[in-house]
Amino acid sequence: MKILIVGTGYVGTTTGLIFCEMGHRVTGLDLDECKIQALQAGKLHFYEPGLGDLLTKHAAAQNIYFTKRTKEAVEENDVIFICVGTPQNSDGGADLSYVKNVAEAIGKYMNNYKIIVTKSTVPVGTAELVTNWIKKSQEDLIPFDVVSNPEFLREGSAVQDALNPDRIVIGATSEKARSIMKELYKDFHCPIVETNPKASEMIKYAANSFLAMKISFINELARLCDELNINVNDVSRGIGLDQRIGPLFLRAGMGYGGSCFPKDVNALIQTAKENGQPLSILESVVKVNAEQPLYLMEKIKDALGGNLKNKTIGVFGVAFKANTDDTRESASLKLIEHLLAEEAEIRAHDPIVKMEKEHQFRTIEETVTGADAVVICTDWDEYKNLDWASLKSLMKQTYLFDFCNMVDKEKVKSIGFQYMGVANH
Ligand code: NAD
């Protein structure tokens, strides 16, 4: 089947290459010249473990090609996946302008029956909107179907997630489209949830909101554990082993970030408001998450004597989580903002992310030199087993804030660090 992927970002590029793995021919379309040039040259324009190898393999086998030419791309392909961004609007809802532009282009250039699949995360009712946008831009009435097929991959493990999904959700109204979609996914060994587009759209938002809720739940509980001198990691393990709860997304830390959870939770809250059925649990999830970096900054401030002016803080990790270069809504950047507002001096490090020169240091040693404190913000493997004794000798004071609860606290304490995690007692 000939597949067109519109939007060659994290989701589009991964989806396209996974379909190549399944034996399909794929075209990747993007309006961003730089991204297309990089992909045409066989280079990823973002960091994602394992994806570069797939690109090399399928570009060499000519299973995938990348273009900026919308008309030809639409004409030549049968199934069109919309994978463009759906950022947050000023009211918290999803900005559908990129999706609308794509739908209008498809309507304009469509030459025969197509299936248009929304893989972007879009609010309930968007399949209907896409249908109307396409119809309005058509010169001749050519039949088509719109299907909702949300994506659940995680940056940092996108290849594995996309190759081995927990489930595939197909929201379709026509039998023809449903059976073509099932054919497309026939080699994936997981349950397929067949439903209508509205339920499919809701599933994606409900999944992300539920995971964000787990994170805010454990982070708020960690604050109480702090007061009561309880190790929140033990609590996470103790409840996570209950199969009804599950162990994932129960690690206390900096709070959720990234390009999906923050905007998706807000978009669902907005949908709920618009429909007169507010989701008060999710409103609390957002509140707790927004407070978390500030709560942790206050911990640093208290430990350092109540004033951060001219204190030097080494920050380990600015990506919103390990194994990605994505800093969108990164809790680390929010903490840095709070620290800068307190007039602290920041020396930041990240193995992959490039940030402003004045704050970023190339090596871990340079980052901690003269620091009053080190704060671990992203759980990169690099930070797990550092030679803390030699790092200590470079620091001015020896405060270590492990906001990922990832280092061996007894060991660093025995070296002479004043250690503080997130309720890691
Ligand atoms: P991204 O910003 O990395 O990529 C989007 C791409 O679309 C960009 O390269 C942009 O240039 C391109 N684009 C915009 N308008 C276009 C147009 N008219 N024609 C062609 N290309 C166009 O975004 P992403 O992180 O890949 O996310 C895409 C969607 O998938 C979003 O709705 C997101 O919520 C959802 N999603 C993301 C993830 C994730 O982990 N990143 C996971 C699941 C779902």
mmCIF file of all heavy atoms in Angstrom, residues 6-12 29-32 35 83-86 98 101-102 119-121 151-155 204 259-260 263-264 328, ligand 1:
data_model
loop_
_atom_site.group_PDB
_atom_site.id
_atom_site.type_symbol
_atom_site.label_atom_id
_atom_site.label_comp_id
_atom_site.label_asym_id
_atom_site.label_seq_id
_atom_site.Cartn_x
_atom_site.Cartn_y
_atom_site.Cartn_z
ATOM 1 N N VAL A 6 2.164 13.018 6.343
ATOM 2 C CA VAL A 6 2.261 14.480 6.272
ATOM 3 C C VAL A 6 2.734 15.001 7.640
ATOM 4 O O VAL A 6 2.037 14.838 8.646
ATOM 5 C CB VAL A 6 0.913 15.128 5.895
ATOM 6 C CG1 VAL A 6 1.106 16.627 5.662
ATOM 7 C CG2 VAL A 6 0.331 14.466 4.662
ATOM 8 N N GLY A 7 3.917 15.611 7.644
ATOM 9 C CA GLY A 7 4.536 16.069 8.894
ATOM 10 C C GLY A 7 5.583 15.057 9.320
ATOM 11 O O GLY A 7 5.262 14.005 9.864
ATOM 12 N N THR A 8 6.854 15.395 9.035
ATOM 13 C CA THR A 8 7.927 14.429 9.339
ATOM 14 C C THR A 8 8.664 14.839 10.613
ATOM 15 O O THR A 8 9.878 15.006 10.620
ATOM 16 C CB THR A 8 8.911 14.306 8.158
ATOM 17 O OG1 THR A 8 9.411 15.613 7.869
ATOM 18 C CG2 THR A 8 8.258 13.707 6.946
ATOM 19 N N GLY A 9 7.879 15.011 11.693
ATOM 20 C CA GLY A 9 8.472 15.264 13.013
ATOM 21 C C GLY A 9 8.704 13.943 13.733
ATOM 22 O O GLY A 9 8.909 12.907 13.097
ATOM 23 N N TYR A 10 8.651 13.982 15.061
ATOM 24 C CA TYR A 10 8.899 12.777 15.872
ATOM 25 C C TYR A 10 7.943 11.646 15.466
ATOM 26 O O TYR A 10 8.360 10.518 15.226
ATOM 27 C CB TYR A 10 8.691 13.087 17.359
ATOM 28 C CG TYR A 10 9.767 13.939 17.974
ATOM 29 C CD1 TYR A 10 9.712 15.322 17.912
ATOM 30 C CD2 TYR A 10 10.845 13.357 18.626
ATOM 31 C CE1 TYR A 10 10.696 16.111 18.490
ATOM 32 C CE2 TYR A 10 11.834 14.133 19.210
ATOM 33 C CZ TYR A 10 11.748 15.508 19.141
ATOM 34 O OH TYR A 10 12.724 16.272 19.713
ATOM 35 N N VAL A 11 6.648 11.963 15.412
ATOM 36 C CA VAL A 11 5.647 10.925 15.155
ATOM 37 C C VAL A 11 5.649 10.511 13.683
ATOM 38 O O VAL A 11 5.661 9.320 13.361
ATOM 39 C CB VAL A 11 4.245 11.420 15.576
ATOM 40 C CG1 VAL A 11 3.149 10.527 15.026
ATOM 41 C CG2 VAL A 11 4.158 11.466 17.096
ATOM 42 N N GLY A 12 5.661 11.495 12.790
ATOM 43 C CA GLY A 12 5.573 11.190 11.365
ATOM 44 C C GLY A 12 6.755 10.366 10.875
ATOM 45 O O GLY A 12 6.582 9.355 10.172
ATOM 46 N N LEU A 29 6.158 13.874 3.727
ATOM 47 C CA LEU A 29 5.965 15.245 3.229
ATOM 48 C C LEU A 29 6.050 16.226 4.387
ATOM 49 O O LEU A 29 5.438 16.020 5.437
ATOM 50 C CB LEU A 29 4.564 15.343 2.590
ATOM 51 C CG LEU A 29 4.063 16.731 2.202
ATOM 52 C CD1 LEU A 29 4.804 17.265 0.977
ATOM 53 C CD2 LEU A 29 2.557 16.688 1.911
ATOM 54 N N ASP A 30 6.830 17.276 4.198
ATOM 55 C CA ASP A 30 6.880 18.334 5.211
ATOM 56 C C ASP A 30 7.092 19.653 4.494
ATOM 57 O O ASP A 30 7.654 19.698 3.396
ATOM 58 C CB ASP A 30 8.019 18.069 6.204
ATOM 59 C CG ASP A 30 7.745 18.706 7.561
ATOM 60 O OD1 ASP A 30 7.731 19.953 7.647
ATOM 61 O OD2 ASP A 30 7.542 17.957 8.544
ATOM 62 N N LEU A 31 6.624 20.743 5.109
ATOM 63 C CA LEU A 31 6.824 22.056 4.499
ATOM 64 C C LEU A 31 8.149 22.662 4.931
ATOM 65 O O LEU A 31 8.601 23.650 4.350
ATOM 66 C CB LEU A 31 5.679 23.001 4.906
ATOM 67 C CG LEU A 31 4.279 22.572 4.483
ATOM 68 C CD1 LEU A 31 3.267 23.637 4.889
ATOM 69 C CD2 LEU A 31 4.213 22.330 2.982
ATOM 70 N N ASP A 32 8.758 22.072 5.934
ATOM 71 C CA ASP A 32 10.000 22.618 6.477
ATOM 72 C C ASP A 32 11.187 22.124 5.638
ATOM 73 O O ASP A 32 11.579 20.955 5.697
ATOM 74 C CB ASP A 32 10.136 22.170 7.933
ATOM 75 C CG ASP A 32 11.332 22.798 8.627
ATOM 76 O OD1 ASP A 32 12.380 22.957 7.981
ATOM 77 O OD2 ASP A 32 11.207 23.118 9.830
ATOM 78 N N LYS A 35 14.143 20.307 7.405
ATOM 79 C CA LYS A 35 13.863 18.930 7.834
ATOM 80 C C LYS A 35 13.901 17.984 6.635
ATOM 81 O O LYS A 35 14.486 16.901 6.694
ATOM 82 C CB LYS A 35 12.495 18.849 8.515
ATOM 83 C CG LYS A 35 12.480 19.531 9.869
ATOM 84 C CD LYS A 35 11.140 19.414 10.557
ATOM 85 C CE LYS A 35 11.171 20.164 11.877
ATOM 86 N NZ LYS A 35 9.889 20.192 12.567
ATOM 87 N N CYS A 83 0.222 13.831 10.465
ATOM 88 C CA CYS A 83 1.072 13.745 11.677
ATOM 89 C C CYS A 83 1.636 15.114 12.047
ATOM 90 O O CYS A 83 2.741 15.216 12.583
ATOM 91 C CB CYS A 83 2.223 12.769 11.445
ATOM 92 S SG CYS A 83 1.714 11.111 11.023
ATOM 93 N N VAL A 84 0.896 16.165 11.736
ATOM 94 C CA VAL A 84 1.404 17.513 12.027
ATOM 95 C C VAL A 84 1.132 17.865 13.492
ATOM 96 O O VAL A 84 0.362 17.187 14.174
ATOM 97 C CB VAL A 84 0.758 18.577 11.095
ATOM 98 C CG1 VAL A 84 1.118 18.295 9.649
ATOM 99 C CG2 VAL A 84 -0.761 18.615 11.269
ATOM 100 N N GLY A 85 1.751 18.949 13.935
ATOM 101 C CA GLY A 85 1.610 19.358 15.330
ATOM 102 C C GLY A 85 0.205 19.874 15.641
ATOM 103 O O GLY A 85 -0.494 20.387 14.756
ATOM 104 N N THR A 86 -0.190 19.710 16.900
ATOM 105 C CA THR A 86 -1.465 20.276 17.386
ATOM 106 C C THR A 86 -1.160 20.980 18.710
ATOM 107 O O THR A 86 -1.546 20.515 19.773
ATOM 108 C CB THR A 86 -2.522 19.169 17.603
ATOM 109 O OG1 THR A 86 -1.914 18.074 18.330
ATOM 110 C CG2 THR A 86 -3.048 18.646 16.297
ATOM 111 N N TYR A 98 -2.815 23.623 11.711
ATOM 112 C CA TYR A 98 -1.945 22.805 10.831
ATOM 113 C C TYR A 98 -2.735 21.654 10.218
ATOM 114 O O TYR A 98 -2.579 21.334 9.040
ATOM 115 C CB TYR A 98 -0.750 22.251 11.615
ATOM 116 C CG TYR A 98 0.129 23.320 12.211
ATOM 117 C CD1 TYR A 98 -0.026 23.711 13.540
ATOM 118 C CD2 TYR A 98 1.105 23.961 11.440
ATOM 119 C CE1 TYR A 98 0.762 24.703 14.091
ATOM 120 C CE2 TYR A 98 1.894 24.951 11.986
ATOM 121 C CZ TYR A 98 1.716 25.329 13.311
ATOM 122 O OH TYR A 98 2.496 26.319 13.856
ATOM 123 N N ASN A 101 -4.900 23.074 7.442
ATOM 124 C CA ASN A 101 -4.128 23.340 6.208
ATOM 125 C C ASN A 101 -3.914 22.055 5.423
ATOM 126 O O ASN A 101 -4.031 22.030 4.193
ATOM 127 C CB ASN A 101 -2.751 23.931 6.553
ATOM 128 C CG ASN A 101 -2.879 25.367 7.016
ATOM 129 O OD1 ASN A 101 -3.912 26.001 6.796
ATOM 130 N ND2 ASN A 101 -1.848 25.877 7.669
ATOM 131 N N VAL A 102 -3.585 20.981 6.137
ATOM 132 C CA VAL A 102 -3.329 19.706 5.454
ATOM 133 C C VAL A 102 -4.617 19.197 4.818
ATOM 134 O O VAL A 102 -4.630 18.780 3.651
ATOM 135 C CB VAL A 102 -2.763 18.647 6.444
ATOM 136 C CG1 VAL A 102 -2.585 17.307 5.744
ATOM 137 C CG2 VAL A 102 -1.446 19.109 7.048
ATOM 138 N N LYS A 119 -3.423 10.953 12.788
ATOM 139 C CA LYS A 119 -2.556 10.357 13.808
ATOM 140 C C LYS A 119 -2.159 11.426 14.825
ATOM 141 O O LYS A 119 -1.854 11.119 15.968
ATOM 142 C CB LYS A 119 -1.316 9.723 13.152
ATOM 143 C CG LYS A 119 -0.656 8.728 14.083
ATOM 144 C CD LYS A 119 0.280 7.810 13.382
ATOM 145 C CE LYS A 119 -0.153 6.374 13.285
ATOM 146 N NZ LYS A 119 -0.751 5.773 14.474
ATOM 147 N N SER A 120 -2.192 12.666 14.399
ATOM 148 C CA SER A 120 -1.993 13.764 15.352
ATOM 149 C C SER A 120 -3.022 13.618 16.460
ATOM 150 O O SER A 120 -4.106 13.082 16.244
ATOM 151 C CB SER A 120 -2.224 15.116 14.671
ATOM 152 O OG SER A 120 -1.311 15.313 13.631
ATOM 153 N N THR A 121 -2.671 14.125 17.645
ATOM 154 C CA THR A 121 -3.624 14.091 18.760
ATOM 155 C C THR A 121 -4.610 15.239 18.583
ATOM 156 O O THR A 121 -4.211 16.414 18.611
ATOM 157 C CB THR A 121 -2.865 14.228 20.094
ATOM 158 O OG1 THR A 121 -1.902 13.178 20.156
ATOM 159 C CG2 THR A 121 -3.810 14.133 21.278
ATOM 160 N N GLU A 151 -1.727 7.971 18.050
ATOM 161 C CA GLU A 151 -0.402 7.381 18.276
ATOM 162 C C GLU A 151 -0.078 7.399 19.773
ATOM 163 O O GLU A 151 -0.341 8.388 20.448
ATOM 164 C CB GLU A 151 0.649 8.195 17.498
ATOM 165 C CG GLU A 151 2.047 7.673 17.627
ATOM 166 C CD GLU A 151 2.152 6.183 17.309
ATOM 167 O OE1 GLU A 151 1.801 5.806 16.178
ATOM 168 O OE2 GLU A 151 2.572 5.415 18.186
ATOM 169 N N PHE A 152 0.516 6.305 20.253
ATOM 170 C CA PHE A 152 0.821 6.207 21.686
ATOM 171 C C PHE A 152 2.311 6.087 21.964
ATOM 172 O O PHE A 152 2.698 5.802 23.091
ATOM 173 C CB PHE A 152 0.069 5.017 22.298
ATOM 174 C CG PHE A 152 -1.421 5.139 22.198
ATOM 175 C CD1 PHE A 152 -2.119 4.556 21.147
ATOM 176 C CD2 PHE A 152 -2.134 5.869 23.141
ATOM 177 C CE1 PHE A 152 -3.500 4.690 21.042
ATOM 178 C CE2 PHE A 152 -3.518 6.007 23.046
ATOM 179 C CZ PHE A 152 -4.203 5.415 21.992
ATOM 180 N N LEU A 153 3.167 6.277 20.921
ATOM 181 C CA LEU A 153 4.610 6.099 21.160
ATOM 182 C C LEU A 153 5.130 7.150 22.129
ATOM 183 O O LEU A 153 4.544 8.225 22.288
ATOM 184 C CB LEU A 153 5.385 6.153 19.839
ATOM 185 C CG LEU A 153 5.403 7.452 19.023
ATOM 186 C CD1 LEU A 153 6.337 8.495 19.591
ATOM 187 C CD2 LEU A 153 5.806 7.132 17.596
ATOM 188 N N ARG A 154 6.247 6.788 22.776
ATOM 189 C CA ARG A 154 6.918 7.738 23.680
ATOM 190 C C ARG A 154 8.249 8.131 23.070
ATOM 191 O O ARG A 154 8.985 7.253 22.576
ATOM 192 C CB ARG A 154 7.200 7.086 25.030
ATOM 193 C CG ARG A 154 5.980 6.737 25.830
ATOM 194 C CD ARG A 154 6.318 5.763 26.928
ATOM 195 N NE ARG A 154 6.792 4.498 26.370
ATOM 196 C CZ ARG A 154 7.224 3.451 27.091
ATOM 197 N NH1 ARG A 154 7.274 3.535 28.392
ATOM 198 N NH2 ARG A 154 7.620 2.337 26.513
ATOM 199 N N GLU A 155 8.573 9.408 23.091
ATOM 200 C CA GLU A 155 9.909 9.810 22.652
ATOM 201 C C GLU A 155 10.925 9.108 23.536
ATOM 202 O O GLU A 155 10.688 8.906 24.726
ATOM 203 C CB GLU A 155 10.075 11.326 22.765
ATOM 204 C CG GLU A 155 9.271 12.062 21.709
ATOM 205 C CD GLU A 155 9.277 13.577 21.899
ATOM 206 O OE1 GLU A 155 10.147 14.091 22.613
ATOM 207 O OE2 GLU A 155 8.397 14.229 21.329
ATOM 208 N N LYS A 204 -7.258 8.665 23.183
ATOM 209 C CA LYS A 204 -5.900 9.236 23.244
ATOM 210 C C LYS A 204 -5.790 10.250 24.392
ATOM 211 O O LYS A 204 -4.854 10.225 25.186
ATOM 212 C CB LYS A 204 -5.564 9.890 21.893
ATOM 213 C CG LYS A 204 -4.268 10.653 21.871
ATOM 214 C CD LYS A 204 -3.055 9.761 22.105
ATOM 215 C CE LYS A 204 -1.814 10.604 22.337
ATOM 216 N NZ LYS A 204 -0.655 9.796 22.712
ATOM 217 N N SER A 259 6.075 17.351 24.920
ATOM 218 C CA SER A 259 5.207 17.986 23.928
ATOM 219 C C SER A 259 3.781 17.471 24.011
ATOM 220 O O SER A 259 2.913 17.956 23.294
ATOM 221 C CB SER A 259 5.756 17.714 22.530
ATOM 222 O OG SER A 259 5.685 16.328 22.259
ATOM 223 N N CYS A 260 3.519 16.476 24.869
ATOM 224 C CA CYS A 260 2.176 15.877 24.831
ATOM 225 C C CYS A 260 1.360 16.074 26.108
ATOM 226 O O CYS A 260 0.307 16.707 26.071
ATOM 227 C CB CYS A 260 2.285 14.390 24.509
ATOM 228 S SG CYS A 260 2.878 14.113 22.836
ATOM 229 N N LYS A 263 -0.082 19.710 27.056
ATOM 230 C CA LYS A 263 -1.096 20.263 26.150
ATOM 231 C C LYS A 263 -2.326 19.362 26.065
ATOM 232 O O LYS A 263 -3.448 19.842 25.941
ATOM 233 C CB LYS A 263 -0.506 20.539 24.765
ATOM 234 C CG LYS A 263 -0.333 19.319 23.882
ATOM 235 C CD LYS A 263 0.034 19.708 22.456
ATOM 236 C CE LYS A 263 0.368 18.487 21.609
ATOM 237 N NZ LYS A 263 -0.711 17.534 21.404
ATOM 238 N N ASP A 264 -2.116 18.051 26.167
ATOM 239 C CA ASP A 264 -3.255 17.136 26.005
ATOM 240 C C ASP A 264 -4.188 17.195 27.225
ATOM 241 O O ASP A 264 -5.408 17.161 27.077
ATOM 242 C CB ASP A 264 -2.768 15.703 25.753
ATOM 243 C CG ASP A 264 -2.074 15.577 24.389
ATOM 244 O OD1 ASP A 264 -2.173 16.525 23.579
ATOM 245 O OD2 ASP A 264 -1.433 14.544 24.147
ATOM 246 N N ARG A 328 10.476 20.695 25.127
ATOM 247 C CA ARG A 328 9.175 21.370 25.212
ATOM 248 C C ARG A 328 8.558 21.099 26.588
ATOM 249 O O ARG A 328 8.465 19.961 27.020
ATOM 250 C CB ARG A 328 8.245 20.866 24.086
ATOM 251 C CG ARG A 328 8.683 21.364 22.705
ATOM 252 C CD ARG A 328 7.796 20.846 21.590
ATOM 253 N NE ARG A 328 8.117 19.496 21.167
ATOM 254 C CZ ARG A 328 7.573 18.870 20.113
ATOM 255 N NH1 ARG A 328 6.683 19.504 19.367
ATOM 256 N NH2 ARG A 328 7.917 17.651 19.795
HETATM 257 P P1 NAD B 1 6.569 17.780 15.433
HETATM 258 O O1 NAD B 1 6.446 19.221 15.704
HETATM 259 O O2 NAD B 1 7.841 17.062 15.755
HETATM 260 O O3 NAD B 1 6.274 17.495 13.878
HETATM 261 C C1 NAD B 1 5.218 18.070 13.158
HETATM 262 C C2 NAD B 1 5.692 18.320 11.737
HETATM 263 O O4 NAD B 1 4.599 18.730 10.920
HETATM 264 C C3 NAD B 1 6.743 19.410 11.604
HETATM 265 O O5 NAD B 1 7.910 18.874 10.993
HETATM 266 C C4 NAD B 1 6.083 20.470 10.718
HETATM 267 O O6 NAD B 1 6.992 21.137 9.885
HETATM 268 C C5 NAD B 1 5.113 19.629 9.940
HETATM 269 N N1 NAD B 1 3.999 20.352 9.308
HETATM 270 C C6 NAD B 1 3.212 21.336 9.827
HETATM 271 N N2 NAD B 1 2.298 21.725 8.915
HETATM 272 C C7 NAD B 1 2.490 20.988 7.797
HETATM 273 C C8 NAD B 1 1.869 20.906 6.550
HETATM 274 N N3 NAD B 1 0.812 21.695 6.239
HETATM 275 N N4 NAD B 1 2.334 20.028 5.627
HETATM 276 C C9 NAD B 1 3.385 19.245 5.925
HETATM 277 N N5 NAD B 1 4.020 19.253 7.113
HETATM 278 C C10 NAD B 1 3.575 20.117 8.039
HETATM 279 O O7 NAD B 1 5.337 17.088 16.177
HETATM 280 P P2 NAD B 1 5.264 15.613 16.814
HETATM 281 O O8 NAD B 1 5.910 15.614 18.154
HETATM 282 O O9 NAD B 1 5.684 14.634 15.791
HETATM 283 O O10 NAD B 1 3.692 15.496 17.063
HETATM 284 C C11 NAD B 1 2.768 15.401 15.992
HETATM 285 C C12 NAD B 1 1.403 15.036 16.559
HETATM 286 O O11 NAD B 1 1.472 13.749 17.178
HETATM 287 C C13 NAD B 1 0.889 15.986 17.640
HETATM 288 O O12 NAD B 1 -0.497 16.082 17.532
HETATM 289 C C14 NAD B 1 1.254 15.278 18.933
HETATM 290 O O13 NAD B 1 0.403 15.640 20.002
HETATM 291 C C15 NAD B 1 1.054 13.836 18.542
HETATM 292 N N6 NAD B 1 1.851 12.876 19.311
HETATM 293 C C16 NAD B 1 3.139 13.162 19.624
HETATM 294 C C17 NAD B 1 3.907 12.235 20.329
HETATM 295 C C18 NAD B 1 5.330 12.544 20.702
HETATM 296 O O14 NAD B 1 5.875 11.841 21.574
HETATM 297 N N7 NAD B 1 5.977 13.543 20.110
HETATM 298 C C19 NAD B 1 3.332 11.014 20.712
HETATM 299 C C20 NAD B 1 2.017 10.739 20.350
HETATM 300 C C21 NAD B 1 1.276 11.682 19.639
#
